[in-house]
Amino acid sequence: MSPQRCGHLMKVLGQREKHSVKVVRRVFHTLMKNQVEVDSNTCLKTDTANDHQSQTRNRYIGIKKIVVGIVLGYVGYKTLQKSIHCEDKKETCPSGMWKEKLSIDEAIAISQDLVLQKKDEIGCPGMAIAVSVDGQTVWSEGFGFADVENRVPCSPDSVMRIASVSKPIATTLVAKQMEEGKLDIDKPVQYYVPNFPQKTFGGKQVTITTRQVLSHMSGIRNYNKDYMEKKENKAGIIICEKNTEEKKKPDRRSDREKKGEFYLNKPFHSVSESLKLFQDDPLVSEPGTKYLYTSHGWTLLSAVMEGVAKKPFEKLLQELLKDLGMENTYMEKAEPLIYNRARCYSKNAKGKLVNAPTVDLSYKWAAGGLISTVGDVVKFGNIILYSSQWSPPLQTSKDKGQGQRVTEDVKAAKNVSNLEKKPGGSKLLPGYLGPETVRTIWKKVDGTGFDVDPEGHYAMGWAVVEEKHERELCEHRRYYVSHTGGSVGASSILLILPPLGKLSHKGRPPKGVVVAMMANLQSSNLNPVAKKIAKIFEKTHLK
């Protein structure tokens, strides 16, 4: 191999293969040097054919030449093989996933492939993703089309339905009222919503609290009324089934008929009007005893927040979004011009892509009525992550109750001069919520489940998977909090992966990885890929 050939090899491999090319060049020059020695020794052998020392030297050089050739061939083969499969950043080598540390570019390349795999697997028109590490957005990208018919590409600025990711945002408003001492989540909901009917179950009067509504333990039904025939699965979670005779008959109902109010397309002008959809229906179970995921329960939660603030929920939500700085998040309405709004899609019975049915989400603003961008959702995730990690001055005593401790932490946080300093000498500002409040809403509730991850539980407006690492070199289940969303023509997820162990006091929060993903196709199940991507970016290290 000539030096010119080595130079050409460097250009082919690119900057990422500089080290391997240096090895090739070093081996080549060693080989050339040895060749000169061979030529000189050949002459020596002619003059002194019987010189045993010269024969030994020539034999040694020959063996060395063979070894060098083998090394050169192996290095060249592995380097060129890697070049073929990793020609640019968008085509990544899966082997990078096992590395203990990754650069941002490597993490992006691996994650791009994972997103494309998921997109191709489900036939999704468009996807958008944003990832932040330690509070800095390091990657945001769109894939496919936001509007298939008009060939509008999907981008990080595409505005999509976030579905039930609306619930953690609404929970933030509840948490703020609780933190300020205005809302007692253990009081009956009728204390704040007097017009909500008193409920009974099994012939006796029962109480529904805000705490139970937040964790889907209220017994309130979801979108349809099939719950009259019910049974429990192995986890004790209620599932609705038809009776035995009905099960023998083929179910010819359309998806819209099966999911009932999920496909509602009529405007609701107030929360009290939305309550009429379900408030007079019997409970599915006794409050506090069974987990049943219900979006209608969050309409009741909206009414509770209205009762506390004496303001319409729509105005409360707008004020919250303004305070959080979520400028690209809106309540979905058909009339306003919202730039970069994506179209929604579903699959028909033959698996063909079609436009999703038109729906009106005004009956469930808190449960799933918001639209947003991945950038705004990641920002919200960092707001909550920061709130969980900043440290207010300690001004509590052992005899104070939890609610009072939370209130005192908030009052202390307002005295910014007492807060710890961040690098550079500036003050560390308080989070939107106090850390005690975030710990409360992130605490798992016994008896609940998490539909997309069997190892998880529901907390209050968030799902949580607890850490588990029982045997060396075996499964290490990471702690993370998240919420998924599934709406008509859309899917979403917000996932927060805090760092392992106790948070270091070096640097400023937030510390951890936040992933937001959206798709304009329903029933996409984005949780597995979002979890993989979060773990990949955890291997990166920002300066």
Side-chain angles (χ1 to χ4, degrees):
M1 182 184 290
S2 67
Q4 290 80 7
R5 181 63 177 168
C6 286
H8 176 69
L9 179 62
M10 174 180 283
K11 292 180 181 179
V12 173
L13 297 179
Q15 293 300 317
R16 290 178 298 171
E17 309 300 339
K18 279 185 177 179
H19 177 72
S20 298
V21 175
K22 287 179 181 178
V23 172
V24 173
R25 279 184 164 173
R26 192 178 298 118
V27 171
F28 171 76
H29 287 300
T30 302
L31 188 59
M32 293 296 293
K33 181 180 179 181
N34 290 338
Q35 185 63 47
V36 173
E37 293 180 3
V38 170
D39 293 341
S40 62
N41 286 320
T42 301
C43 295
L44 180 62
K45 181 178 180 181
T46 304
D47 295 336
T48 56
N50 298 323
D51 192 335
H52 178 71
Q53 184 177 3
S54 297
Q55 292 178 356
T56 303
R57 179 181 299 175
N58 288 338
R59 191 177 298 112
Y60 168 76
I61 292 174
I63 295 172
K64 186 176 180 180
K65 183 176 179 180
I66 293 172
V67 172
V68 170
I70 293 172
V71 172
L72 175 63
Y74 178 78
V75 171
Y77 169 76
K78 297 301 289 185
T79 303
L80 289 171
Q81 185 184 50
K82 185 176 181 182
S83 174
I84 292 171
H85 293 287
C86 300
E87 203 165 312
D88 57 57
K89 293 179 182 178
K90 292 187 178 179
E91 295 178 6
T92 179
C93 290
S95 60
M97 295 182 67
W98 55 259
K99 292 183 180 178
E100 292 184 2
K101 293 183 180 181
L102 295 171
S103 69
I104 293 294
D105 287 343
E106 288 175 324
I108 291 173
I110 296 169
S111 299
Q112 283 173 330
D113 191 51
L114 290 174
V115 174
L116 289 171
Q117 284 177 19
K118 182 65 178 180
K119 181 180 179 299
D120 294 342
E121 173 188 320
I122 63 177
C124 182
M127 283 186 175
I129 184 169
V131 179
S132 72
V133 179
D134 297 345
Q136 299 181 39
T137 299
V138 296
W139 178 42
S140 61
E141 190 172 352
F143 301 82
F145 293 99
D147 183 338
V148 174
E149 292 166 294
N150 295 300
R151 315 309 286 169
V152 178
C154 193
S155 76
D157 296 324
S158 297
V159 178
M160 300 186 186
R161 288 174 180 163
I162 64 172
S164 288
V165 175
S166 304
K167 289 182 173 73
I169 296 175
T171 300
T172 305
L173 187 52
V174 175
K176 197 66 175 177
Q177 291 181 338
M178 178 181 71
E179 194 176 67
E180 293 173 347
K182 299 176 181 178
L183 171 62
D184 185 342
I185 61 174
D186 292 314
K187 283 186 176 180
V189 293
Q190 287 84 358
Y191 183 84
Y192 303 103
V193 192
N195 294 330
F196 190 76
Q198 181 65 54
K199 310 303 288 185
T200 61
F201 186 82
K204 65 177 182 178
Q205 186 170 300
V206 293
T207 298
I208 298 176
T209 66
T210 304
R211 184 187 295 273
Q212 292 166 346
V213 176
L214 282 165
S215 56
H216 298 285
M217 298 283 283
S218 65
I220 295 172
R221 71 172 177 87
N222 203 12
Y223 293 117
N224 59 48
K225 300 184 180 183
D226 291 345
Y227 65 93
M228 298 306 296
E229 297 293 336
K230 65 180 186 297
K231 76 173 195 177
E232 299 172 8
N233 63 13
K234 294 180 180 180
I237 298 172
I238 295 172
I239 55 176
C240 302
E241 288 197 352
K242 301 177 182 179
N243 58 42
T244 306
E245 292 299 322
E246 287 293 322
K247 286 170 67 177
K248 293 180 181 179
K249 301 177 182 179
D251 192 347
R252 302 185 185 280
R253 297 181 301 170
S254 67
D255 188 58
R256 177 174 288 201
E257 291 172 327
K258 292 175 184 177
K259 295 188 177 181
E261 292 149 353
F262 184 68
Y263 287 96
L264 272 175
N265 187 26
K266 58 171 287 188
F268 287 77
H269 303 290
S270 65
V271 172
S272 58
E273 186 179 345
S274 302
L275 283 175
K276 294 177 183 179
L277 279 171
F278 63 91
Q279 66 178 11
D280 294 322
D281 294 334
L283 297 177
V284 179
S285 61
E286 184 178 351
T289 61
K290 301 292 181 183
Y291 171 75
L292 175 64
Y293 189 89
T294 168
S295 288
H296 281 331
W298 288 71
T299 301
L300 176 57
L301 194 64
S302 303
V304 169
M305 287 184 269
E306 284 188 343
V308 171
K310 310 300 181 187
K311 292 181 182 179
F313 178 72
E314 187 170 341
K315 185 173 183 180
L316 290 174
L317 191 54
Q318 290 171 342
E319 290 175 352
L320 174 68
L321 295 175
K322 182 177 182 297
D323 288 344
L324 297 178
M326 298 176 68
E327 298 177 352
N328 298 305
T329 303
Y330 319 88
M331 288 172 281
E332 184 176 2
K333 298 179 181 180
E335 297 83 3
L337 293 177
I338 298 176
Y339 293 99
N340 301 314
R341 192 189 319 217
R343 299 286 294 271
C344 299
Y345 300 95
S346 58
K347 300 281 184 74
N348 63 15
K350 295 182 179 180
K352 183 178 179 180
L353 188 71
V354 295
N355 288 308
T358 302
V359 294
D360 191 308
L361 304 178
S362 56
Y363 72 101
K364 57 172 184 178
W365 294 133
L370 301 182
I371 54 177
S372 186
T373 63
V374 286
D376 256 21
V377 175
V378 157
K379 180 177 185 177
F380 170 70
N382 278 308
I383 289 170
I384 302 302
L385 182 60
Y386 180 96
S387 296
S388 71
Q389 294 174 347
W390 72 280
S391 301
L394 297 177
Q395 295 188 9
T396 63
S397 59
K398 293 182 179 180
D399 58 345
K400 291 179 180 178
Q402 177 176 307
Q404 191 175 358
R405 286 201 305 272
V406 171
T407 303
E408 290 295 329
D409 279 350
V410 174
K411 289 179 179 178
K414 292 179 180 178
N415 184 7
V416 180
S417 62
N418 289 335
L419 297 179
E420 63 178 297
K421 291 185 177 182
K422 60 185 177 182
S426 57
K427 306 281 175 61
L428 190 65
L429 296 174
Y432 187 79
L433 298 173
E436 184 71 29
T437 304
V438 179
R439 281 192 286 271
T440 298
I441 62 177
W442 280 0
K443 183 179 179 180
K444 78 166 188 178
V445 176
D446 292 335
T448 61
F450 182 24
D451 296 341
V452 298
D453 193 330
E455 297 171 332
H457 293 79
Y458 209 81
M460 293 187 189
W462 290 88
V464 57
V465 173
E466 294 188 316
E467 185 171 353
K468 180 182 178 182
H469 192 194
E470 296 178 341
R471 295 175 178 84
E472 192 65 33
L473 302 179
C474 296
E475 178 200 13
H476 185 183
R477 188 174 73 202
R478 288 296 309 280
Y479 170 85
Y480 72 92
V481 293
S482 69
H483 210 293
T484 56
S487 185
V488 177
S491 302
S492 60
I493 184 170
L494 168 60
L495 188 146
I496 300 175
L497 182 68
L500 275 169
K502 293 184 178 180
L503 182 65
S504 171
H505 291 290
K506 295 181 180 179
R508 60 162 293 162
K511 296 291 184 183
V513 180
V514 179
V515 178
M517 286 187 70
M518 297 181 198
N520 55 355
L521 180 72
Q522 64 193 72
S523 304
S524 298
N525 188 17
L526 303 175
N527 189 75
V529 65
K531 188 164 57 173
K532 286 181 182 178
I533 290 172
K535 291 179 179 179
I536 289 168
F537 276 90
E538 190 180 36
K539 296 180 180 181
T540 64
H541 297 272
L542 296 180
K543 293 183 179 179

